[in-house]
Amino acid sequence: QVQLVESGGGLVQPGGSLRLSCVVSGGVFSRYKMGWYRQAPGKQRDLVATITFGSTTNYADSGKGRFTISRDNAKNTVYLQMNSPKPEDTAVYYCNAENVFSRLQLWGQGTLVTVSS
């Protein structure tokens, strides 16, 4: 019923910028703590950033100072602004929604970000 659809991935040069979007449909957006995770080939899925409905944010050290997570509650959308990406940021980025009451999690299909010259 609830769907998360990511977009905005692609090829970006080191030092450039990219903005990922995740649209949530079929659910009550205010009930979800949103997050971005990433997974590189052969590695586990790691946290990038999270944001509450009230826009309290949390960042992994890997993206601090370079990435910004935000949400537009009127559009049921969460964003990840990626500034100055590095080759090691190359991964499939997944949108995550955690229901703050049930603690159940939902995942998008992922969008591939490739950082290369």
Side-chain angles (χ1 to χ4, degrees), residues 4-6 11 16 21 32 36 40-41 52-53 59 66 71-74 79-80 84 87 94 100 110-111 114 116:
L4 282 62
V5 180
E6 303 101 327
L11 177 64
S21 299
Y32 294 99
W36 287 98
T52 68
F53 185 78
Y59 294 92
R66 299 186 297 118
R71 64 193 293 166
D72 186 336
N73 293 329
Y79 305 95
L80 183 69
S84 300
Y94 295 92
V100 299
T111 184
T114 302
S116 177

Coordinates of all heavy atoms in Angstrom, one line a residue, residues 4-6 11 16 21 32 36 40-41 52-53 59 66 71-74 79-80 84 87 94 100 110-111 114 116:
L4 N 7.5 3.9 -1.7 CA 8.6 4.9 -1.7 C 9.3 4.8 -3.1 O 9.7 3.8 -3.5 CB 9.6 4.6 -0.6 CG 9.3 5.0 0.8 CD1 8.0 4.3 1.4 CD2 10.5 4.7 1.7
V5 N 9.4 5.9 -3.8 CA 9.9 6.0 -5.1 C 11.1 7.0 -5.1 O 10.8 8.2 -5.0 CB 8.9 6.3 -6.2 CG1 9.6 6.3 -7.6 CG2 7.8 5.2 -6.2
E6 N 12.3 6.5 -5.3 CA 13.4 7.4 -5.4 C 13.7 7.8 -6.9 O 13.4 7.1 -7.8 CB 14.7 6.7 -4.9 CG 14.6 6.2 -3.5 CD 14.4 4.7 -3.4 OE1 13.7 4.2 -4.3 OE2 14.9 4.0 -2.5
L11 N 25.1 9.8 -13.0 CA 26.5 10.0 -13.0 C 26.8 11.5 -12.6 O 26.2 12.4 -13.2 CB 27.1 9.8 -14.4 CG 28.6 10.0 -14.6 CD1 29.4 9.1 -13.7 CD2 29.0 9.9 -16.1
G16 N 31.0 18.0 -7.9 CA 29.7 18.5 -8.5 C 28.6 18.4 -7.4 O 28.9 18.4 -6.2
S21 N 15.6 12.5 -4.7 CA 14.2 12.7 -4.2 C 13.6 11.4 -3.9 O 13.8 10.4 -4.5 CB 13.4 13.5 -5.2 OG 13.9 14.7 -5.5
Y32 N 6.1 9.0 9.7 CA 7.4 8.4 9.3 C 8.6 9.2 9.6 O 8.6 10.4 9.3 CB 7.3 8.0 7.9 CG 6.3 7.0 7.5 CD1 5.1 7.3 7.0 CD2 6.6 5.6 7.7 CE1 4.1 6.3 6.7 CE2 5.7 4.6 7.5 CZ 4.4 5.0 7.0 OH 3.5 4.0 6.7
W36 N 17.9 8.2 4.5 CA 18.6 7.7 3.3 C 19.7 6.8 3.7 O 20.5 7.0 4.7 CB 19.3 8.9 2.5 CG 18.3 9.7 1.7 CD1 17.7 10.9 2.1 CD2 17.7 9.4 0.5 NE1 16.8 11.3 1.2 CE2 16.8 10.5 0.1 CE3 17.9 8.4 -0.5 CZ2 16.1 10.5 -1.1 CZ3 17.2 8.4 -1.6 CH2 16.3 9.4 -2.0
A40 N 27.1 -0.1 -1.3 CA 28.1 -0.3 -2.4 C 28.2 -1.8 -2.7 O 27.9 -2.6 -1.8 CB 29.4 0.4 -2.1
P41 N 28.6 -2.2 -3.9 CA 28.8 -3.6 -4.2 C 29.7 -4.3 -3.2 O 30.8 -3.8 -2.9 CB 29.4 -3.6 -5.6 CG 28.9 -2.3 -6.2 CD 28.9 -1.3 -5.0
T52 N 13.3 13.7 11.1 CA 12.0 13.5 11.6 C 11.0 14.4 10.9 O 11.3 15.2 10.1 CB 12.0 13.8 13.1 OG1 12.2 15.2 13.3 CG2 13.1 12.9 13.9
F53 N 9.7 14.2 11.3 CA 8.7 15.1 10.7 C 8.9 16.5 11.1 O 8.6 17.4 10.3 CB 7.3 14.6 11.2 CG 6.1 15.4 10.6 CD1 5.7 15.1 9.3 CD2 5.5 16.4 11.3 CE1 4.7 15.8 8.8 CE2 4.5 17.1 10.7 CZ 4.0 16.8 9.5
Y59 N 23.2 12.7 10.9 CA 24.0 12.4 9.8 C 25.1 11.4 10.2 O 25.7 11.5 11.3 CB 24.7 13.6 9.2 CG 23.8 14.6 8.6 CD1 23.2 15.6 9.3 CD2 23.5 14.5 7.2 CE1 22.4 16.6 8.7 CE2 22.6 15.4 6.6 CZ 22.1 16.4 7.4 OH 21.2 17.3 6.8
R66 N 28.8 17.7 3.8 CA 28.6 17.6 2.4 C 27.2 17.3 2.0 O 26.7 17.8 0.9 CB 29.6 16.5 1.8 CG 31.0 16.8 2.1 CD 31.9 15.8 1.4 NE 31.7 14.4 1.9 CZ 31.3 13.4 1.1 NH1 31.0 13.6 -0.2 NH2 31.1 12.2 1.6
R71 N 13.0 17.6 4.1 CA 11.7 17.0 3.7 C 10.7 18.2 3.5 O 10.7 19.2 4.2 CB 11.2 16.0 4.8 CG 10.9 16.6 6.1 CD 10.7 15.5 7.2 NE 9.5 14.7 6.9 CZ 9.2 13.6 7.5 NH1 10.1 13.0 8.3 NH2 8.1 12.9 7.2
D72 N 9.8 17.9 2.5 CA 8.7 18.8 2.2 C 7.5 18.1 2.6 O 7.0 17.2 1.8 CB 8.8 19.3 0.8 CG 7.7 20.3 0.4 OD1 6.7 20.4 1.2 OD2 7.9 21.0 -0.6
N73 N 6.9 18.4 3.7 CA 5.8 17.6 4.2 C 4.5 17.9 3.4 O 3.7 17.0 3.4 CB 5.5 18.0 5.7 CG 6.6 17.5 6.6 OD1 7.3 16.5 6.3 ND2 6.9 18.2 7.7
A74 N 4.4 19.0 2.7 CA 3.3 19.3 1.9 C 3.3 18.4 0.6 O 2.3 18.2 0.0 CB 3.2 20.7 1.5
Y79 N 14.4 14.7 0.6 CA 15.5 14.9 -0.4 C 16.9 14.6 0.3 O 17.0 14.7 1.5 CB 15.5 16.4 -0.8 CG 14.2 16.9 -1.4 CD1 13.3 17.5 -0.6 CD2 13.9 16.7 -2.8 CE1 12.1 18.0 -1.1 CE2 12.7 17.1 -3.3 CZ 11.8 17.8 -2.5 OH 10.6 18.2 -3.0
L80 N 17.8 14.3 -0.6 CA 19.2 14.3 -0.1 C 20.0 15.1 -1.1 O 20.2 14.7 -2.3 CB 19.7 12.8 -0.1 CG 21.2 12.7 0.4 CD1 21.2 13.0 1.9 CD2 21.8 11.3 0.1
S84 N 29.7 18.2 -3.3 CA 31.1 17.7 -3.4 C 31.2 16.2 -3.2 O 31.9 15.7 -2.3 CB 31.9 18.4 -2.3 OG 32.0 19.8 -2.5
P87 N 34.3 9.7 -5.1 CA 34.2 8.4 -5.7 C 33.7 7.4 -4.7 O 32.9 6.5 -5.1 CB 35.6 8.1 -6.2 CG 36.2 9.4 -6.6 CD 35.6 10.3 -5.5
Y94 N 19.1 4.2 -1.0 CA 17.8 3.8 -0.7 C 17.1 4.7 0.2 O 17.6 5.2 1.2 CB 17.8 2.4 -0.1 CG 18.3 1.3 -0.9 CD1 19.7 1.0 -1.0 CD2 17.5 0.6 -1.8 CE1 20.2 0.0 -1.8 CE2 18.0 -0.4 -2.6 CZ 19.3 -0.7 -2.6 OH 19.8 -1.8 -3.3
V100 N 6.9 5.7 13.2 CA 7.4 6.0 14.6 C 6.6 5.3 15.7 O 7.1 5.3 16.8 CB 7.3 7.6 14.8 CG1 8.3 8.3 13.8 CG2 5.9 8.1 14.7
G110 N 15.6 1.9 -4.7 CA 17.0 2.4 -4.8 C 17.3 3.1 -6.1 O 16.6 2.9 -7.1
T111 N 18.2 4.0 -6.0 CA 18.7 4.8 -7.2 C 20.2 4.8 -7.2 O 20.8 5.1 -6.2 CB 18.1 6.2 -7.2 OG1 18.4 6.9 -8.5 CG2 18.5 7.0 -6.0
T114 N 26.7 7.3 -9.3 CA 28.0 7.0 -9.6 C 28.8 8.3 -9.7 O 28.5 9.2 -10.4 CB 28.1 6.3 -11.0 OG1 27.3 5.1 -11.0 CG2 29.5 6.0 -11.4
S116 N 32.2 9.8 -10.7 CA 33.4 9.5 -11.5 C 33.7 10.6 -12.4 O 32.8 11.4 -12.9 CB 33.2 8.2 -12.3 OG 34.2 7.9 -13.1

